[in-house]
Amino acid sequence: MKTGTEVIEWIHSLLPFGIKPGLKRMEWMLERLEHPEQKIKAVHIGGTNGKGSTVSFMRHVLEQAGYKVGTFTSPYIECFEERISINGTPIEEAALVEAGKQIRPLVDELTSTELGSPTEFEVITTIAFYYFATIAKPDIVLLEVGLGGRFDSTNVITPLVSVITSIGFDHMHILGETLPEITSEKAGIIKPSVPIVSGVSQKKAQEIIGDVSRNVGAPYTQLGIDFKETLIGIEGRFQVFSYEKMNNQINDVTIQMSGPHQRENAAVAIRALEILVENYHFDIPMSSIHKGLRATTWIGRFEQVSEDPLIVIDGAHNKEGMESLEKTLTLHYPDKTYRFLLAATKEKDMGILLKPFEQLNSSFTFTSFDFFRAAASKSLYEQAPVANKRFEDDWEKALEEEVHALKQNEMLIVAGSLYFISSVRGKWLKE
């Protein structure tokens, strides 16, 4: 492998091996690489929704404070390499090739053992650990959980802080059908004596996280109980709020990320940053918190890609994400009529996902996209419990028609699978 493209093609060739829960393949590879995961300082961030936004809030603040920050996120929106970044800059080609050359022989050897081939995500995670530990050497790594927690490939580290942003009903075919089952999987990232910050809202989920934390001796702080955020006002697309923990209050925190859920993500990020200061002597001035949070954006998360006509793309693809999208729209654009262009993967149920929008004055166009798990547009249309709806299998044609149909008082929201909005975003920004 001599180019980044060749490395990426090799990684993607592992996709047919699917999702294989368990950490033995990760531990096998990392042992032969002399445990790069033990040579980095990390914050481990899990949850159903809000992981990427919380990573972005923390990264921007830490950068403002002068730190070199590694991030590992998924999936990607613009390019594969962005999943492994330093201060927002994707891994460079030479480093990706070097890491690929180091790890491919291990993958070939592992494949011939009883453990079998590692998955695509396991290999990407191993490349990230190798890159951060031996090439980039950042001051801190913000490591996003891929799926679940307990058996996720990232769960081989002992971080400085663990974070669980939210609990929701997603990937239930893997994580379980009930809230306690899903929460238990997410809580699998909690480590002995490592502080855990939780942004989960459901009381039962909070109880489970609290029980796990007490059992392993992990100091636990919970949004809404130990710290909170309070909205002060909306200024266009900006939100101003206060953050409060016991006697410590930070006033006039401003973010440009829209929706109540983003205030919660920002508050969770602040609490995790406070722990870095309190426990590990990070130097994060108050000015860095204010500047960093205000500067934070996260592509594909209620991202305005056009002002006239008004078009927003959002990665809402599960029940909780759609509920947050509805709250965001009614908070920031209460006077608009909404047009939706939606695509989703086969396991999604539009009857559940679109419940928050049943009473809104909205129209819905369902489409499909080039992905092996993409649902047919007609299938989504038939599931949808909304009156004003249509379907068009060609998403590029559907997008063109929706943009052309937009009236002065309307806005277009493109939502659903992150793979879908990545395609739409790429096409829109090229034109």
Side-chain angles (χ1 to χ4, degrees):
M1 298 184 295
K2 296 180 180 178
T3 67
T5 300
E6 289 175 330
V7 176
I8 294 167
E9 286 175 352
W10 165 63
I11 293 169
H12 286 331
S13 75
L14 301 168
L15 187 61
F17 292 103
I19 298 167
K20 298 197 283 192
L23 301 176
K24 288 185 177 179
R25 290 173 300 278
M26 284 297 300
E27 291 164 350
W28 190 97
M29 289 188 288
L30 293 170
E31 182 180 348
R32 280 152 183 78
L33 290 168
E34 298 181 348
H35 289 290
E37 81 285 3
Q38 295 177 7
K39 299 171 185 174
I40 60 174
K41 294 178 179 177
V43 177
H44 202 192
I45 299 159
T48 304
N49 296 315
K51 297 187 294 292
S53 298
T54 304
V55 166
S56 195
F57 280 127
M58 293 188 70
R59 172 174 77 82
H60 281 81
V61 171
L62 286 161
E63 280 183 36
Q64 282 287 338
Y67 289 97
K68 183 179 180 181
V69 187
T71 52
F72 179 64
T73 56
S74 60
Y76 64 90
I77 301 294
E78 290 184 311
C79 68
F80 175 88
E81 295 90 334
E82 78 191 39
R83 299 178 70 167
I84 304 169
S85 295
I86 296 289
N87 286 2
T89 301
I91 183 173
E92 58 275 17
E93 183 177 38
L96 182 60
V97 171
E98 179 186 334
K101 285 180 175 178
Q102 288 289 331
I103 292 161
R104 185 165 188 170
L106 300 179
V107 171
D108 293 340
E109 184 183 347
L110 178 57
T111 301
S112 66
T113 72
E114 62 182 14
L115 292 173
S117 173
T119 66
E120 180 192 42
F121 188 70
E122 287 171 338
V123 170
I124 297 166
T125 308
T126 304
I127 287 174
F129 284 138
Y130 179 84
Y131 170 68
F132 292 135
T134 65
I135 300 174
K137 298 180 180 177
D139 299 309
I140 189 165
V141 175
L142 306 176
L143 194 70
E144 182 184 319
V145 171
L147 177 64
R150 184 164 61 110
F151 291 127
D152 187 74
S153 304
T154 61
N155 202 29
V156 291
I157 60 161
T158 300
L160 304 180
V161 187
S162 303
V163 175
I164 300 176
T165 56
S166 67
I167 300 290
F169 292 91
D170 203 3
H171 303 294
M172 293 151 65
H173 56 300
I174 298 169
L175 303 180
E177 297 288 332
T178 67
L179 185 71
E181 287 175 330
I182 296 170
T183 304
S184 294
E185 290 297 322
K186 303 284 186 187
I189 68 169
I190 300 172
K191 304 290 194 309
S193 303
V194 175
I196 172 77
V197 180
S198 165
V200 306
S201 59
Q202 304 95 328
K203 188 157 184 57
K204 182 61 181 174
Q206 292 175 2
E207 290 172 358
I208 292 170
I209 292 170
D211 287 343
V212 174
S213 300
R214 279 187 293 275
N215 289 339
V216 301
Y220 162 52
T221 50
Q222 171 63 52
L223 175 67
I225 297 174
D226 304 299
F227 63 101
K228 65 179 181 178
E229 57 80 20
T230 305
L231 177 65
I232 295 173
I234 303 290
E235 298 175 2
R237 62 192 176 93
F238 290 90
Q239 302 186 80
V240 183
F241 68 95
S242 64
Y243 167 89
E244 186 177 352
K245 179 188 173 286
M246 291 171 33
N247 297 324
N248 176 35
Q249 186 159 328
I250 306 174
N251 293 313
D252 298 326
V253 180
T254 301
I255 58 173
Q256 59 177 303
M257 302 273 277
S258 301
H261 60 296
Q262 294 296 6
R263 298 197 307 272
E264 294 171 357
N265 292 332
V268 167
I270 292 172
R271 181 65 202 125
L273 290 162
E274 286 180 332
I275 291 172
L276 293 180
V277 173
E278 295 161 4
N279 293 18
Y280 305 104
H281 309 295
F282 276 67
D283 183 11
I284 306 174
M286 193 63 65
S287 60
S288 296
I289 292 176
H290 280 286
K291 289 178 184 175
L293 293 180
R294 187 183 181 95
T296 299
T297 58
W298 189 234
I299 56 176
R301 275 60 169 189
F302 207 83
E303 179 185 8
Q304 183 178 310
V305 294
S306 172
E307 189 170 349
D308 188 16
L310 181 56
I311 302 174
V312 166
I313 62 172
D314 189 78
H317 61 277
N318 53 35
K319 176 178 177 287
E320 291 73 22
M322 285 295 188
E323 288 170 352
S324 293
L325 176 57
E326 186 272 331
K327 289 175 184 174
T328 302
L329 287 168
T330 53
L331 180 67
H332 290 271
Y333 298 98
D335 300 325
K336 291 286 186 183
T337 299
Y338 313 124
R339 301 182 73 96
F340 289 89
L341 177 61
L342 300 171
T345 48
K346 291 175 182 175
E347 71 274 11
K348 303 301 181 185
D349 184 344
M350 286 295 123
I352 294 172
L353 264 59
L354 295 186
K355 204 149 192 64
F357 304 103
E358 286 180 341
Q359 305 306 317
L360 292 183
N361 182 18
S362 308
S363 64
F364 297 83
T365 295
F366 299 95
T367 190
S368 192
F369 60 109
D370 185 18
F371 185 58
F372 72 102
R373 291 204 336 265
S377 60
K378 187 177 181 182
S379 172
L380 300 177
Y381 167 86
E382 289 171 346
Q383 290 176 17
V386 292
N388 191 355
K389 61 181 179 177
R390 71 183 187 100
F391 67 93
E392 166 55 61
D393 221 42
D394 182 339
W395 71 260
E396 294 191 46
K397 181 182 178 186
L399 176 63
E400 186 178 327
E401 290 171 347
E402 284 303 300
V403 171
H404 183 71
L406 275 174
K407 298 183 176 64
Q408 189 64 38
N409 67 324
E410 294 181 326
M411 65 184 290
L412 176 62
I413 303 101
V414 180
S417 166
L418 284 166
Y419 298 103
F420 168 59
I421 68 163
S422 173
S423 299
V424 173
R425 187 180 188 276
K427 176 180 171 59
W428 184 263
L429 295 181
K430 275 181 192 171
E431 295 181 347

